[in-house]
Amino acid sequence: MRKVTLGRSGIEAGDISLGCMRMDGLSLEKATEVIETSFASGIDLFDHADIYGGGKSEEVFAQALKASSVQRDEIILQSKCGIREGLFDFSTNHIMTSVGKSLKRLQTDYLDILLLHRPDVLMEPEEVAEAFSELKKSGKVRYFGVSNHHPLQIELLKKHLTEELIINQLQLSLVHTPMIDAGLNVNMLNEAAVVRDSHLLEYSRLHHMTIQAWSPFQHGMIEGVFIGNPDYPEVNAKLEELAEKKGVTSSALAIAWILRYPGRIQPVIGSMNPERIQQICQASDITLSREEWYDLYRSAGNKLP
């Protein structure tokens, strides 16, 4: 698998990462197989959050990692915090407490990366800075980032932080492309021209932040998978056509489409099926032509101006 440098951290990770949200439902044997298959396929970044499975996903992962042949220092452990029931919380106390609990559940002394999960409107950036500084100083977190944040929220944080933000985790799939649409429909009056994210793609490239694409197979927010979905006949027909041509699955093609973006986006796949993980990871060996990329974009219902 090809590698991507995460921000300006110097960390080299596989092109594709594994989201562990659904790991709480696996047996120890199955979770171990998922970790070993992922690692053998080139995945070395495993994405968690304190809320996944109410914390159980981190617990199952830790037990499975110990049972596997994969060593802690061979992988990149990433977790997220900031979501509480019914609210968001970026207070110093919540960040520190959340990280402490995640470390205990993950049975590790440190996180490689900590992300702030969703923007907290009541955020005091000085409190985030205090938490990050203490976590860095104590060795509990090596690097930091955000998730679902727009550029001005990031700039507000950066004004107070001494640590660099290396990642922004954002929703992106072949059928969820608002970040891309606005950049193609400049100065137009159509719906696609509406800028919903303050030009995150360009901002991320300018500021050397790696975008991690969550839900790369989903339509809507988390309403379902579009691969093989009869509600998306054109995009599936095009995916199947190209998949047969390149000898891979439609899912691998959908990931290859994301990887083709020059800013080197790192998709976060959430499959807990070892065979499917292997198939999806073949995307890293595929480079779509410009014609193929735009064909897929148009097949998802997008019109070029």
Side-chain angles (χ1 to χ4, degrees):
M1 181 180 289
R2 292 176 298 185
K3 295 285 186 177
V4 59
T5 301
L6 303 178
R8 284 187 284 212
S9 68
I11 296 179
E12 296 264 316
D15 250 352
I16 300 165
S17 59
L18 186 75
C20 299
M21 183 172 72
R22 298 180 180 89
M23 193 163 278
D24 63 304
L26 301 186
S27 65
L28 176 60
E29 182 182 7
K30 187 69 172 180
T32 303
E33 184 184 4
V34 166
I35 292 172
E36 291 188 329
T37 300
S38 298
F39 189 73
S41 301
I43 291 174
D44 53 9
L45 189 151
F46 295 86
D47 175 69
H48 295 269
D50 55 358
I51 63 167
Y52 290 167
K56 188 179 177 183
S57 290
E58 290 181 329
E59 293 177 351
V60 171
F61 180 89
Q63 294 163 6
L65 183 64
K66 286 188 179 296
S68 76
S69 58
V70 181
Q71 301 300 308
R72 167 65 182 93
D73 60 5
E74 294 179 305
I75 64 171
I76 302 159
L77 269 184
Q78 172 177 289
S79 196
K80 301 183 286 293
C81 71
I83 298 179
R84 289 170 52 197
E85 186 175 356
L87 56 87
F88 304 128
D89 189 348
F90 285 2
S91 65
T92 303
N93 181 64
H94 180 71
I95 294 172
M96 298 295 295
T97 301
S98 175
V99 170
K101 290 180 178 179
S102 282
L103 291 176
K104 184 177 181 179
R105 288 191 293 262
L106 288 166
Q107 300 181 39
T108 185
D109 296 328
Y110 68 97
L111 293 175
D112 293 286
I113 306 164
L114 173 69
L115 306 183
L116 297 175
H117 207 156
R118 282 196 174 273
D120 174 15
V121 177
L122 303 182
M123 173 188 72
E124 297 287 358
E126 296 89 346
E127 291 196 40
V128 177
E130 180 182 348
F132 281 12
S133 179
E134 178 58 32
L135 290 168
K136 181 80 169 182
K137 182 180 178 181
S138 64
K140 292 180 179 178
V141 179
R142 296 177 62 204
Y143 296 98
F144 301 88
V146 295
S147 180
N148 307 300
H149 281 58
H150 66 55
L152 284 182
Q153 291 167 332
I154 295 168
E155 287 297 312
L156 179 58
L157 279 168
K158 286 167 64 176
K159 180 180 178 182
H160 299 270
L161 297 177
T162 56
E163 296 78 18
E164 189 164 1
L165 298 173
I166 65 170
I167 284 169
N168 194 0
Q169 196 172 102
L170 300 157
Q171 185 178 8
L172 177 67
S173 76
L174 188 49
V175 300
H176 182 90
T177 57
M179 289 192 291
I180 294 170
D181 304 340
L184 286 170
N185 291 269
V186 176
N187 196 32
M188 299 187 71
L189 294 175
N190 58 8
E191 177 68 14
V194 177
V195 179
R196 293 177 167 84
D197 56 26
S198 303
H199 306 290
L200 270 166
L201 286 177
E202 293 79 8
Y203 175 89
S204 299
R205 292 179 73 178
L206 284 168
H207 293 272
H208 305 281
M209 289 185 75
T210 298
I211 291 177
Q212 291 179 332
W214 60 268
S215 288
F217 303 116
Q218 294 280 334
H219 63 90
M221 188 172 179
I222 47 173
E223 295 171 16
V225 175
F226 70 88
I227 303 289
N229 189 324
D231 291 336
Y232 296 88
E234 291 184 29
V235 70
N236 276 293
K238 180 57 68 173
L239 282 170
E240 290 168 8
E241 175 191 326
L242 284 174
E244 184 176 357
K245 175 182 174 183
K246 296 181 182 295
V248 297
T249 64
S250 292
S251 294
L253 252 296
I255 293 297
W257 184 84
I258 294 173
L259 291 174
R260 178 62 175 82
Y261 180 72
R264 299 305 300 276
I265 296 171
Q266 183 189 46
V268 183
I269 64 171
S271 178
M272 294 289 105
N273 182 317
E275 182 180 0
R276 187 160 185 258
I277 291 169
Q278 287 180 314
Q279 294 170 347
I280 292 170
C281 285
Q282 293 178 325
S284 185
D285 299 323
I286 299 168
T287 300
L288 296 179
S289 68
R290 192 176 299 267
E291 291 77 13
E292 290 168 335
W293 190 93
Y294 276 104
D295 280 350
L296 282 168
Y297 179 73
R298 291 198 310 273
S299 74
N302 299 298
K303 294 182 180 180
L304 298 181

